[in-house]
Amino acid sequence: MDWYTIVKFLHVTTAILWVGGGFVLFLLGILAERAGNIEDKLQAMRASGQLGGRFFAPMSMLTLIFGLIMCWFWVGFSDLWILIGLAGYATTFSIGMFIFKPTGERMGAMIAKEGVTPEVLAIGQRMMSAARFDYAVMLVIIADMVLKPNVHDIGILAGMVLVVLIGATLAFGGNRRLVPSAALP
């Protein structure tokens, strides 16, 4: 076994923990939303907030570091798939740091002070909408890392753009409710 294989293993493992763990929490939130279960949805959001800085941010940083090590020593930085992966990482990391982290903290403070209010639920719904877009970007990153498209792979690149557009539409294209209005206090 060589160093490249070890670093690649670490890169893939940390990516699985980062993306997979977040996806499970996102899925739990979606299932709770569909069931109209406010408490389960809030629990998924709380867990996301609690794990964000302690688990997801370190795993995402390690994924980046191992990827950069592979690029620096073996792959290089000039291939299109590397640039797409870095742009995707920057996008999803920014969503985590500038949307998920402060929104989760704000929701936690509001719940501690006022309990679960319609305003808290609305903020949580906006966070879930951002998560839809975030996971569309992550899906593109995964496809990018596996398929390694170049400028001639028009179909793959068009598919990636389509996934991001669908994610943006699902995230920001409509008014989604956390729970039916009859269930609000």
Side-chain angles (χ1 to χ4, degrees), residues 4 23 62 80 100 185:
Y4 175 78
F23 185 74
L62 287 170
L80 179 61
F100 294 155

Side-chain angles (χ1 to χ4, degrees), residues 3 8 27 42 53 77 81 109 111 117 135 157-158:
W3 280 106
K8 186 175 182 179
L27 186 58
L42 290 171
F77 290 94
W81 67 273
I111 291 170
T117 64
Y135 274 93
L157 296 172

Side-chain angles (χ1 to χ4, degrees), residues 25 44-54 100-101 104-105 127:
L25 289 175
M45 289 180 192
R46 277 189 215 106
S48 295
Q50 291 169 346
L51 293 172
R54 295 182 190 136
F100 294 155
K101 184 178 186 302
E105 290 170 353
M127 191 163 91

